[in-house]
Amino acid sequence: MDTRVNLLGLPPPELEAWVQAAGSRPFRARQLQHWLYKRGVADFDAMTDLAKDFRAQLGAQAEVKLPEIVLARQSEDGTRKWLLRADASQAFEMVFIPETDRGTLCISSQVGCVLDCTFCSTAQQGFNRNLTTAEIVGQVWLANRELGFEPGGERRVTNVVFMGMGEPLANFRNVVPATQILLHDACFDLSRRRVTLSTSGLVPQIYKLAEVSNVALAVSLHAPDDKLRDTLVPINRVHPIAELLEACWHYLDEQNGRSVTFEYVMLDGVNDSPAQARALSQLLAGRPAKVNMIPFNPFPGTRYRRSSDAAIWRFRDELLQRGVMATVRRTRGEDIDAACGQLVGRVQDRTTARLGARAFT
Ligand code: SAH
């Protein structure tokens, strides 16, 4: 069995501890980090200012292992999606969304999901496993490389959102160190406002997160009342809206954050009426909150339809009129099944058809 440690999974203090335990001085950890994160070099032999015997030791005891790309696709609108191998039969996905002033990478935290939100295609595949910290961080490292990052150049990934497959707070143990690596100035050095964790509302974990992290928080609300939210986001039966909102305000207080983004998928005839917009504004008016409306992205077998454009704009106007900030998320990458809620990462169906069964043996 390969017992080498994957350095991409170690936040700076742990990397330093590992280097010391291996008998080297702490500055070696900083050198390593510089090669890894500032220069984008994964090959120990190319890290020329490291002592030769240290490099040999690294080769024997450590590795920089990136997720393996199974399939890469590019949308007409420039959005890119990569299918990454998790194990023999399962894969996960990441999506890069280029914009004029930034490049956002949407990463996965789990293979599959336990939460069973009725409008999400990831839910349909059930839960397979948590991604490791190295697999989470590896997505950002890999995307930068695939997008042409070179030493001294600009990184293309300027923003990271945990909005891919999985519920990040259900994989707390691996996600929190990953956020530390994304933020740390010796690593990716992203500002806290450029790393967003999206949760369906795991209330106890939001309180825990407030103690250890200060990333931006997004919450998948999707309904203005418990009765409807119980059916769309079943975790609501355990942690209802009032409890969830309390946790959000607590997070902002603790972390001195500006606002929480509330995601709201627009489902035709389900949650998109003007009365529901008014109910939503009653929950959020006067609070440090932004609503991000997401036109529903259909997938095979779904019973939902996307709200009409008229309903979407009407809903937004109702919110704005009541002083609630609201934006409509532009759908990107739909032609390659890369849009919100369309990530499946399964090896069967469409993907296998294109790849042939060999790809996963
Ligand atoms: N589990 C986390 C992270 C997923 S983020 C969470 O629930 O927040 C992905 C966002 O896309 C969530 O807000 C999710 O509710 C939304 N979404 C899921 N399925 C969708 C679909 N079919 N169309 C549009 N948005 C969807």
Side-chain angles (χ1 to χ4, degrees):
M1 201 180 86
D2 194 350
T3 52
R4 288 181 297 174
V5 57
N6 190 347
L7 298 185
L8 288 175
L10 302 183
E14 283 180 40
L15 183 66
E16 228 168 82
W18 184 84
V19 163
Q20 274 185 301
S24 284
R25 306 231 302 280
F27 78 93
R28 294 276 178 227
R30 286 195 292 280
Q31 282 182 314
L32 253 175
Q33 271 158 356
H34 189 78
W35 282 109
L36 256 180
Y37 297 106
K38 305 298 176 192
R39 301 185 65 86
V41 170
D43 176 5
F44 298 135
D45 287 333
M47 302 182 177
T48 45
D49 64 355
L50 297 183
K52 247 198 163 134
D53 48 351
F54 183 53
R55 271 190 269 163
Q57 196 182 10
L58 282 172
Q61 298 175 11
E63 62 182 354
V64 179
K65 192 163 166 235
L66 296 164
E68 186 187 330
I69 299 174
V70 177
L71 187 70
R73 300 187 68 191
Q74 183 153 2
S75 156
E76 281 165 13
D77 67 16
T79 300
R80 296 175 65 163
K81 178 168 99 162
W82 292 267
L83 182 70
L84 306 171
R85 186 198 297 272
D87 54 45
S89 65
Q90 291 286 335
F92 56 101
E93 298 184 308
M94 65 174 181
V95 177
F96 179 71
I97 305 141
E99 283 168 284
T100 42
D101 57 340
R102 65 187 156 181
T104 303
L105 187 70
C106 176
I107 60 174
S108 293
S109 57
Q110 300 182 309
V111 184
C113 191
V114 280
L115 287 168
D116 216 17
C117 300
T118 48
F119 52 86
C120 180
S121 68
T122 304
Q124 293 198 326
Q125 71 179 100
F127 175 69
N128 186 347
R129 72 166 170 88
N130 284 328
L131 292 178
T132 64
T133 302
E135 285 170 327
I136 297 168
V137 171
Q139 294 171 65
V140 184
W141 205 100
L142 185 63
N144 274 309
R145 189 188 77 186
E146 291 299 298
L147 295 164
F149 172 64
E150 283 176 10
E154 293 275 309
R155 279 209 195 90
R156 297 284 308 283
V157 177
T158 62
N159 295 53
V160 174
V161 295
F162 284 81
M163 296 186 188
M165 290 164 64
E167 165 52 51
L169 291 185
N171 184 14
F172 196 90
R173 194 164 54 95
N174 296 332
V175 164
V176 168
T179 63
Q180 287 161 352
I181 294 168
L182 294 177
L183 298 187
H184 201 287
D185 54 8
C187 303
F188 289 99
D189 196 19
L190 294 171
S191 99
R192 55 183 285 205
R193 289 188 224 295
R194 290 176 176 267
V195 177
T196 302
L197 185 150
S198 177
T199 177
S200 56
L202 268 56
V203 166
Q205 281 84 348
I206 295 175
Y207 284 97
K208 267 175 69 185
L209 188 71
E211 288 169 21
V212 293
S213 181
N214 61 2
V215 293
L217 186 65
V219 170
S220 294
L221 193 57
H222 305 317
D225 61 81
D226 285 322
K227 189 158 173 271
L228 178 59
R229 194 165 189 270
D230 280 352
T231 67
L232 297 176
V233 186
I235 191 75
N236 195 68
R237 295 176 205 150
V238 186
H239 305 294
I241 294 175
E243 238 182 69
L244 174 57
L245 294 182
E246 270 318 303
C248 292
W249 315 141
H250 171 83
Y251 186 83
L252 287 182
D253 280 350
E254 285 294 300
Q255 289 305 334
N256 212 2
R258 279 191 192 162
S259 64
V260 172
T261 300
F262 291 94
E263 293 151 296
Y264 197 99
V265 63
M266 296 299 290
L267 304 169
D268 180 40
V270 175
N271 65 354
D272 64 348
S273 74
Q276 285 163 320
R278 291 190 288 274
L280 182 61
S281 73
Q282 282 184 350
L283 293 178
L284 302 180
R287 297 291 195 167
K290 279 190 279 199
V291 174
N292 189 215
M293 297 157 55
I294 316 175
F296 172 65
N297 295 306
F299 50 89
T302 181
R303 66 185 121 126
Y304 297 109
R305 288 184 313 267
R306 177 181 294 182
S307 304
S308 68
D309 286 351
I312 292 174
W313 296 117
R314 173 89 199 268
F315 197 93
R316 192 191 69 145
D317 288 346
E318 291 283 349
L319 292 174
L320 292 177
Q321 278 163 20
R322 286 164 182 78
V324 176
M325 255 291 285
T327 50
V328 179
R329 192 179 290 179
R330 197 151 62 93
T331 297
R332 301 281 303 260
E334 212 175 351
D335 54 330
I336 56 167
D337 289 339
C340 306
Q342 291 187 321
L343 304 186
V344 183
R346 227 186 341 222
V347 211
Q348 291 100 14
D349 63 47
R350 298 173 300 236
T351 319
T352 342
R354 245 173 249 124
L355 282 175
R358 265 184 322 124
F360 274 92
T361 53

